[in-house]
């Protein structure tokens, strides 16, 4: 049922908004370490920064998700009345995380079916966009590396706002930025994401959403009791987009 629902949603959209790490590529999967070990190493570095500022937070102790750690400290830094130490810690984390993301973009592994989907979707005369919590330079470097930049308008690749990390998803800022230059309404857009924060951002603006994840337990978490179609392969969307592209030809 998810495949049929996802294909139907795709057929109604004029612009697909992709999360980057997951639906497009596995950012930390390349090189000599697996994604989990690279992400875990980054997370350790961020937690070490917190410890150096004597600002350890129990809820992220032992966390292996760098973005979850960084966003927590960015939120605290944004709160009025907090000490300047929170801002200093968040800024240091931002620099470390950005450096890792840009470096990892050189070795990121394409998600099977994603490149084919993007080419077919663009071939059908429809728009592509990215709305991600990753650093924009990392996203752009990957798209350039894979010769995919030509399928995206410069204003449609939205990464983490360096000036205000509190705007990371689930805040819908990135989606609103994508729609700013679009003549189409929100219903003509479709987001494809692999996390609860993606779904929450899309839901906040009323944007149709398709979940994707390789891991069964992550798909279960995304399914929201069956309210959201969730796929285990981007190839499903590539096949559907190829059908649309064939109609254009």
């Amino acid at each position: 049922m998810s495949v049929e629902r996802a294909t139907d949603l795709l057929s109604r959209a004029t612009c697909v908004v992709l999360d980057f790490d997951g639906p497009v590529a596995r950012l930390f999967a390349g090189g000599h370490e697996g994604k989990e070990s690279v992400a875990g190493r980054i997370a350790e570095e961020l937690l070490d920064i917190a410890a150096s500022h004597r600002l350890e937070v129990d809820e992220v102790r032992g966390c292996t998700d760098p973005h979850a750690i960084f966003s927590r400290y960015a939120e605290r830094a944004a709160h009025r009345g907090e000490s300047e130490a929170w801002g200093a810690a968040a800024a240091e984390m931002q620099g470390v995380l950005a450096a890792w993301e840009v470096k990892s973009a050189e070795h990121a592994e394409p998600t099977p079916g994603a490149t084919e989907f993007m080419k077919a979707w663009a071939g059908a005369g429809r728009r592509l966009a990215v709305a991600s919590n990753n650093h924009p330079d990392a996203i752009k470097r990957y798209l350039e590396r894979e010769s995919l930049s030509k399928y995206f308008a410069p204003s449609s690749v939205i990464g983490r706002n360096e000036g205000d990390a509190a705007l990371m998803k689930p805040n819908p800022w990135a989606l609103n930025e994508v729609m700013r230059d679009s003549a189409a309404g929100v219903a003509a857009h479709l987001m494809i994401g692999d996390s609860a924060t993606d779904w929450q951002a899309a839901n906040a603006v009323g944007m149709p959403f398709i979940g994707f994840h390789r891991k069964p337990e992550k798909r279960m978490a995304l399914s929201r009791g069956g309210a959201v179609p969730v796929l285990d392969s981007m190839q499903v969307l590539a096949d559907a987009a190829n059908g649309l592209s064939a109609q254009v030809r």
Side-chain angles (χ1 to χ4, degrees):
M1 182 63 72
S2 284
V3 172
E4 288 80 2
R5 289 173 63 198
T7 302
D8 180 57
L9 286 172
L10 194 67
S11 70
R12 301 181 189 184
T14 60
C15 177
V16 162
V17 186
L18 296 155
D19 178 43
F20 176 66
D21 189 12
V24 175
R26 296 180 65 207
L27 181 58
F28 300 127
H32 300 293
E33 300 175 275
K35 176 172 181 176
E36 288 73 17
S37 60
V38 175
R41 183 176 169 186
I42 301 169
E44 286 179 7
E45 288 193 30
L46 300 189
L47 292 173
D48 285 345
I49 290 171
S52 73
H53 287 269
R54 298 183 179 180
L55 295 173
E56 294 168 290
V57 176
D58 286 342
E59 67 189 81
V60 294
R61 194 184 302 275
C63 180
T64 58
D65 181 347
H67 284 103
I69 297 168
F70 172 61
S71 66
R72 185 69 186 92
Y73 280 82
E75 286 171 6
R76 287 294 296 269
H79 287 170
R80 296 177 65 181
E82 292 286 8
S83 70
E84 293 182 0
W86 288 95
E92 192 173 344
M93 288 181 180
Q94 167 87 294
V96 168
L97 181 56
W100 268 107
E101 288 172 320
V102 173
K103 175 183 176 181
S104 297
E106 298 293 340
H107 308 286
E109 293 180 359
T111 297
T115 296
E116 184 180 349
F117 166 71
M118 288 183 276
K119 290 180 177 179
W121 186 252
R126 305 192 184 195
R127 293 180 61 235
L128 283 166
V130 171
S132 172
N133 283 343
N134 293 120
H135 195 281
D137 288 349
I139 302 166
K140 291 171 184 175
R141 179 66 196 106
Y142 175 82
L143 295 177
E144 290 168 359
R145 195 196 89 190
E146 296 296 314
S147 301
L148 295 169
S149 297
K150 60 189 173 185
Y151 301 121
F152 295 83
S155 60
S156 68
V157 178
I158 308 298
R160 186 169 63 248
N161 186 317
E162 291 188 278
D164 188 353
L167 295 177
M168 292 169 64
K169 292 174 292 183
N171 189 298
W173 171 81
L175 296 181
N176 285 324
E177 287 296 296
V178 165
M179 292 189 291
R180 185 187 301 276
D181 294 329
S182 174
V186 64
H189 292 73
L190 171 66
M191 183 172 193
I192 300 172
D194 71 342
S195 69
T197 55
D198 293 326
W199 180 86
Q200 289 163 4
N203 189 56
V205 296
M207 185 178 291
F209 181 84
I210 293 174
F212 158 79
H213 211 288
R214 297 174 301 110
K215 297 180 179 180
E217 64 273 19
K218 298 292 186 179
R219 292 197 297 275
M220 286 290 291
L222 274 171
S223 68
R224 299 281 170 177
V228 174
V230 182
L231 305 175
D232 63 0
S233 171
M234 288 294 290
Q235 188 61 48
V236 172
L237 298 180
D239 293 342
N242 273 318
L244 293 171
S245 185
Q247 293 174 19
V248 171
R249 292 193 295 269

